[in-house]
Amino acid sequence: MRIDGADVTAEPRPGQCLRTYLREQGTTAVKKGCDSGDCGACTVLLDGAPVQSCLIPAHRATESEVVTAAGLGRFGPGGEPDADADHLHPVQRAFVEAAGFQCGFCTAGMVCTVAGTPALSALAANGPDAAHPHGTAEELKGNLCRCTGYRSIRDALAGRVNTEAAEPGDAFGRAVVTPAAARIVSGREAYTLDEPAPPGLLHVAVLGSPHPHARIIRIDATAARSAPGVHLVLTHHDVPDILYSTGRHQNRLDDPDDTRILDPVLRFVGQRVAFAVAETLRQARDALALVAVEYEPLPAVFDPEAARRPGAPLLHPGKTPDMHRVEEASRNVVVQIHEEHAEPGNDGVEAALAASAATVTGTWTTDRVNHVALETHGARAWVEPGPGGAPEAAVLHVRTSTQVPFLVRDELARILDLPADRVRVVAGRVGGGFGGKQELLVEDIVALATLRTGRPVQWELTREQQFTMVPCRHPMRVTVRAGASETGELTALAIDVLADTGAYGNHAPGVLFHGLHESMAVYRAPNKRVDAESVYTNNVPSGAFRGYGVGQMQFAIEGAIDELAARLGIDPVEMRRRNVIRPGDPFVVGQPVEGDLEFGSYGLDQCLDLVENALATGRGDAVPDGWVEGSGVGLAMIATIPPRGHHTHARVTVGADGDFVVDVGTAEFGNGTTTVHAQIAATELGVPMARVRVRPSDTATSGHDTGAYGSAGSVVAGLAVQRAAAALKTKLDQSSAGQQVGLSGEATHDGSPRSVAFNVHGFRVAVQRETGQVRILRSVHAADAGVVINPEQLRGQIEGGVAQALGSALTERMVVRDGVVVTRALRHYRVPQIADVPDTEVLFADTYDALGVRGAKSMSEAPYNPVAPALANAIADATGARPRDLPMQQDRLWELLRAKAAASTGRAGHDG
């Protein structure tokens, strides 16, 4: 076949799909998101028509012309060959100018779909005055984007330009194009497994447990080790017996040590039993079928309420608070918080509720949600020889899809008993994370395998494994009791949380503490109480997810606030104004919070005003005939930096060519930090952005960086970059031009003190009572982000957070039955497509944060948190029935509305 203009004669393997064939020929513009035709990341043009290459047998493409995103620039607007092979296709240029991507993993497939669809391609090429084609959503329904919220993609299709050039020294605050834009849209940006593979690459396959709880009685890998192509098969007998946590934090003691590389006791379906390493992935999988395992099934528990009762099966008996940081293993409780606070002159929550003019008690539930980063977890490891081939100086090199390369390095060194300086971890551009890559999930396997075999080793998870093996968002049951005076001031606020951490406790403490802190502290009440526990069950593990617990708890608290407002006859926005935290107030959860959290700025009042005024205009789609209309708001607060330390070291150097190199350890996974760091450095140095090159996320080239989580990339690493650039500028001002090459400035930031940021979302919706269908008529989001570093990029971050939140609010749900994950493919999980996500009007409060870089605050994950409660409040306003369970699927709402109608009919009959 002919691939991007080059003749290729390699014979496809029997049964091989076109996607894997193309990648084996070095065509890495073709991405793997699902291998089942659900996401579109692998889309190419086959004889001019867009196809998902994972569905096409490679032999069917012989004698055909295949064009990937990397080859689109070879063709002009009409599809004719173009002699300039390096320029961008008009569609690609439209995506660059509209900033129609974030992580960019989906983009190569997206531009191929658009370029191969005449109506869409012509629209992007002809600009915003071109007629919008009918069926845009239909044409692009097979291409998923998890990051953008699709508005910027629609802008690209309309030929809109959302980016701008910046004068030297004026990049900060401008909607500049990300430096990697041309490489992303042409499929040339190297994601985790896109670098050329080292010679002799081996592949990993993992055998998963068929039982939710079992002990391995006997395991024999003899036959598997003798299978063709197999180099290594390891069981729990063959690996280091070291306890650790997959969850990664600056302080490794933040998470319980309850995990092993391979464990003789299996605690969830899909847990690793053994793994094989072979010349090909098929050989590795075939070898696993030869591993003989005898299991002793153990009693299992799937309900967290049942799991903490006396007599329940214990998942981690013998784990202790001191040694393993498991608080009460005898009740399966990983972590618990029980606190109550009464201000002077108050008698506590119960007394305050009894004396309140209005009270609300209710229970809200949230289900499991999958991150669905389009790039699955994957890693590749090899050993770099030391100088002169000295084995004692050899370095274990791991290239991985991670948000936390330094924390992965440190834990790998601990598990494998290696000095940290003999482990190098690199993250290329990562295809989405959302918290899911703040874990150590694949790196331990490839590292151990390459040390044992002496060969490079790779493991790339399938989409099914992403559902069955990788931690998801914590499902929670949240009960709220709240009281208020006649004038609407809160008198008491109590919360009772039960979180299901699944089989392991990674992130269980952090999610519980963080979720409680931000959701409770945002409201003032003289009496507060917290009761919360995170409990082991034999379900798939939970972990870090965008919002880190706030979204689940805010869903409940915001619902209770709305109910109180309704009972008192007070406008919901006004009810919030009277009770939200203000500068000078203490941060109170179950007790006043001591520490480094400050009001570096405050914009919550502005955000409430902005959303209220926007909804009051009545703009948006019309209400369909026969539907009922309602509006709702929700708010959330988030600390701009995680607690307990978040450290970064940055260095800015004058290169040999006179340009500037920024070395900083923060990973880029669609969070935009690489762009922001370049803007900050260019502004400090007074130079064009084109003269700044950022080298991120390599433990060998930059100083320590805690990681890209907790939205810290701008306000922690960004501040370090600013300080380093300023230090270099001082040196440059004091030296002659001929002495400047090699000069550098270095700086650090420890993540303290920390500020707070706020978000408010508002919806106007229509609901069809007869079916439970919800239609969003208007969506508005106000963000207190301080001084905005890159308006278009931040707008995209907010829209992406809103879109992800709409998915978990309306459609996304991991179905788990008796410990078995039933939802194993994207087609059954229902990630929002382009037609499902409305445009959101994004508004910014006018604030300047005293603690942030040039007045900026973090804003990557915060937009997610107020969306579900705002939508639930709007639905309740429209129908009079309050949804208390996420997701608010159409069938669930239909049942809720039917029950309300039946209750109303019954009351009417009784009254008659």
Side-chain angles (χ1 to χ4, degrees):
M1 67 184 73
R2 194 168 176 83
I3 302 174
D4 291 335
D7 290 326
V8 176
T9 59
E11 192 74 20
R13 297 191 307 274
Q16 184 173 26
C17 73
L18 181 59
R19 184 194 71 79
T20 60
Y21 176 83
L22 292 172
R23 287 190 66 87
E24 287 176 5
Q25 311 314 309
T27 311
T28 56
V30 182
K31 309 301 182 188
K32 185 199 87 170
C34 64
D35 270 355
S36 57
D38 294 334
C39 75
C42 68
T43 301
V44 299
L45 300 183
L46 182 61
D47 292 330
V51 298
Q52 292 178 335
S53 59
C54 69
L55 298 181
I56 303 296
H59 72 85
R60 284 181 51 192
T62 55
E63 308 299 327
S64 296
E65 179 88 25
V66 177
V67 177
T68 74
L72 276 180
R74 297 177 56 256
F75 301 94
E80 69 281 0
D82 193 301
D84 182 3
D86 294 325
H87 89 297
L88 296 180
H89 186 280
V91 168
Q92 293 170 321
R93 192 175 304 113
F95 271 73
V96 169
E97 293 174 346
F101 57 86
Q102 283 178 33
C103 87
F105 196 78
C106 70
T107 308
M110 190 86 67
V111 297
C112 283
T113 298
V114 176
T117 306
L120 298 183
S121 181
L123 184 72
N126 294 332
D129 295 330
H132 198 283
H134 177 72
T136 298
E138 179 69 21
E139 298 286 0
L140 277 177
K141 69 179 181 181
N143 290 83
L144 297 179
C145 177
R146 191 55 155 169
C147 298
T148 64
Y150 295 106
R151 186 273 313 162
S152 61
I153 293 171
R154 286 191 283 262
D155 281 357
L157 297 178
R160 296 190 181 95
V161 177
N162 298 324
T163 54
E164 59 182 323
E167 294 296 320
D170 191 37
F172 195 98
R174 301 291 184 183
V176 297
V177 174
T178 182
R183 298 193 302 274
I184 289 169
V185 300
S186 60
R188 301 179 192 273
E189 180 75 348
Y191 292 83
T192 305
L193 301 179
D194 288 347
E195 292 282 358
L201 183 69
L202 303 177
H203 298 269
V204 169
V206 173
L207 177 65
S209 170
H211 302 286
H213 201 189
R215 180 178 288 108
I216 297 175
I217 300 300
R218 186 183 66 86
I219 184 166
D220 185 356
T222 305
R225 289 174 177 136
S226 301
V230 173
H231 287 254
L232 184 72
V233 179
L234 295 183
T235 73
H236 67 273
H237 295 297
D238 312 308
V239 300
D241 187 15
I242 302 292
L243 284 169
Y244 65 98
S245 175
T246 63
R248 308 309 322 133
H249 287 96
Q250 172 67 31
N251 184 344
R252 70 169 310 279
L253 302 181
D254 283 357
D255 299 282
D257 282 334
D258 58 6
T259 303
R260 291 179 171 88
I261 296 176
L262 296 173
D263 199 316
V265 177
L266 307 166
R267 298 175 176 89
F268 71 97
V269 174
Q271 181 174 336
R272 306 167 180 173
V273 173
F275 68 90
V277 182
E279 293 285 343
T280 70
L281 183 57
R282 175 171 292 182
Q283 288 173 330
R285 289 172 175 166
D286 289 345
L288 292 178
L290 302 176
V291 177
V293 190
E294 182 181 345
Y295 302 96
E296 176 193 358
L298 301 173
V301 60
F302 309 110
D303 177 8
E305 187 64 66
R308 62 179 178 174
R309 292 180 188 142
L314 299 181
L315 274 76
H316 295 272
K319 297 291 193 299
T320 65
D322 294 337
M323 184 174 293
H324 309 99
R325 295 172 301 286
V326 176
E327 290 201 5
E328 201 173 346
S330 62
R331 289 199 308 121
N332 287 315
V333 174
V334 184
V335 59
Q336 54 188 315
I337 307 163
H338 302 285
E339 297 177 345
E340 184 164 0
H341 174 71
E343 292 181 358
N346 289 269
D347 297 321
V349 166
E350 296 303 326
L353 288 172
S356 296
T359 62
V360 165
T361 299
T363 297
W364 286 257
T365 69
T366 64
D367 220 317
R368 289 176 181 81
V369 178
N370 195 276
H371 304 82
V372 193
L374 285 189
E375 181 190 40
T376 63
H377 286 76
R380 182 184 290 163
W382 64 95
V383 175
E384 294 179 338
E392 66 276 6
V395 174
L396 173 65
H397 188 129
V398 181
R399 182 177 173 90
T400 180
S401 178
T402 184
Q403 298 173 224
V404 286
F406 285 84
L407 304 188
V408 167
R409 178 202 63 182
D410 292 348
E411 197 66 3
L412 281 179
R414 175 180 171 271
I415 294 170
L416 301 174
D417 195 24
L418 292 171
D421 62 1
R422 287 189 54 200
V423 181
R424 179 183 183 183
V425 175
V426 177
R429 192 175 185 94
V430 176
F434 316 111
K437 293 173 181 174
Q438 193 190 338
E439 307 266 0
L440 192 157
L441 296 173
V442 293
E443 298 87 352
D444 55 338
I445 295 290
V446 296
L448 183 60
T450 203
L451 291 176
R452 295 287 178 88
T453 64
R455 295 266 296 270
V457 177
Q458 173 177 306
W459 185 23
E460 182 182 21
L461 296 194
T462 66
R463 181 56 60 184
E464 180 173 318
Q465 288 172 324
Q466 290 289 138
F467 281 106
T468 60
M469 296 177 66
V470 172
C472 59
R473 189 174 82 151
H474 285 75
M476 294 188 187
R477 185 222 67 198
V478 184
T479 299
V480 176
R481 301 173 68 204
S485 66
E486 290 184 355
T487 54
E489 284 80 20
L490 287 174
T491 56
L493 183 60
I495 189 169
D496 187 311
V497 179
L498 177 59
D500 182 353
T501 194
Y504 292 92
N506 46 301
H507 294 285
V511 167
L512 204 65
F513 278 94
H514 181 263
L516 287 167
H517 185 282
E518 265 80 339
S519 62
M520 288 290 285
V522 73
Y523 284 107
R524 295 176 291 115
N527 301 279
K528 287 187 176 182
R529 185 170 66 223
V530 167
D531 293 287
E533 294 184 341
S534 193
V535 177
Y536 287 126
T537 65
N538 291 111
N539 294 311
V540 63
S542 303
F545 188 97
R546 195 175 202 162
Y548 213 59
V550 178
Q552 296 96 308
M553 300 184 202
Q554 206 73 42
F555 175 59
I557 289 176
E558 289 299 285
I561 295 294
D562 248 43
E563 288 193 35
L564 271 179
R567 294 185 184 187
L568 292 166
I570 298 174
D571 177 79
V573 175
E574 180 59 30
M575 183 75 180
R576 288 168 171 80
R577 283 198 188 97
R578 296 179 188 182
N579 292 287
V580 292
I581 194 171
R582 301 166 187 154
D585 290 336
F587 297 99
V588 180
V589 185
Q591 287 289 326
V593 177
E594 302 294 333
D596 62 347
L597 196 62
E598 303 176 7
F599 288 96
S601 61
Y602 183 81
L604 178 53
D605 52 349
Q606 294 182 50
C607 289
L608 285 167
D609 291 345
L610 288 167
V611 170
E612 181 183 45
N613 294 338
L615 290 178
T617 65
R619 294 198 303 269
D621 294 344
V623 182
D625 291 343
W627 293 43
V628 291
E629 178 185 5
S631 61
V633 298
L635 62 79
M637 177 182 80
I638 196 165
T640 57
I641 302 170
R644 295 166 57 82
H646 203 101
H647 300 265
T648 297
H649 175 279
R651 181 176 60 254
V652 184
T653 306
V654 182
D657 58 359
D659 286 346
F660 301 89
V661 178
V662 178
D663 287 302
V664 62
T666 304
E668 170 65 68
F669 60 99
N671 48 351
T673 52
T674 302
T675 306
V676 163
H677 293 164
Q679 289 180 262
I680 292 169
T683 301
E684 285 295 318
L685 294 166
V687 300
M689 266 189 66
R691 291 191 57 197
V692 176
R693 179 165 61 93
V694 179
R695 295 195 303 185
S697 55
D698 184 340
T699 63
T701 62
S702 64
H704 178 84
D705 183 274
T706 296
Y709 66 89
S711 304
S714 296
V715 295
V716 180
L719 195 55
V721 169
Q722 181 193 26
R723 292 170 177 171
L728 175 59
K729 182 68 163 57
T730 299
K731 292 182 180 180
L732 294 174
D733 291 342
Q734 297 171 352
S735 64
S736 63
Q739 300 173 331
Q740 292 181 349
V741 171
L743 289 179
S744 66
E746 299 187 37
T748 62
H749 185 31
D750 63 1
S752 182
R754 303 175 298 138
S755 188
V756 286
F758 300 92
N759 297 77
V760 177
H761 200 96
F763 283 110
R764 190 166 65 85
V765 304
V767 182
Q768 189 178 43
R769 289 186 182 274
E770 295 78 11
T771 65
Q773 184 177 353
V774 175
R775 185 174 298 176
I776 295 172
L777 307 176
R778 185 127 190 253
S779 175
V780 183
H781 191 102
D784 171 25
V787 177
V788 177
I789 302 173
N790 187 315
E792 181 58 28
Q793 184 167 280
L794 179 55
R795 182 184 177 192
Q797 288 285 328
I798 291 170
E799 292 165 334
V802 171
Q804 192 169 34
L806 284 173
S808 55
L810 290 174
T811 60
E812 294 183 39
R813 180 189 179 205
M814 284 178 61
V815 178
V816 180
R817 298 191 184 117
D818 294 332
V820 178
V821 178
V822 176
T823 314
R824 298 184 172 212
L826 292 178
R827 67 188 61 186
H828 302 136
Y829 182 68
R830 298 192 63 199
V831 173
Q833 299 173 328
I834 191 169
D836 301 322
V837 182
D839 283 351
T840 291
E841 181 180 0
V842 176
L843 306 168
F844 296 118
D846 183 11
T847 58
Y848 184 99
D849 198 79
L851 305 179
V853 54
R854 291 179 171 263
K857 298 188 191 184
S858 58
M859 194 48 60
S860 204
E861 59 181 320
Y864 178 92
N865 298 321
V867 174
L871 187 58
N873 289 339
I875 292 170
D877 182 55
T879 64
R882 174 161 298 281
R884 296 182 187 270
D885 304 297
L886 293 183
M888 297 176 285
Q889 293 171 313
Q890 184 174 344
D891 57 335
R892 286 181 169 182
L893 289 179
W894 177 76
E895 289 280 4
L896 179 68
L897 295 173
R898 189 175 70 159
K900 180 174 176 57
S904 299
T905 302
R907 284 196 300 272
H910 179 75
D911 293 343

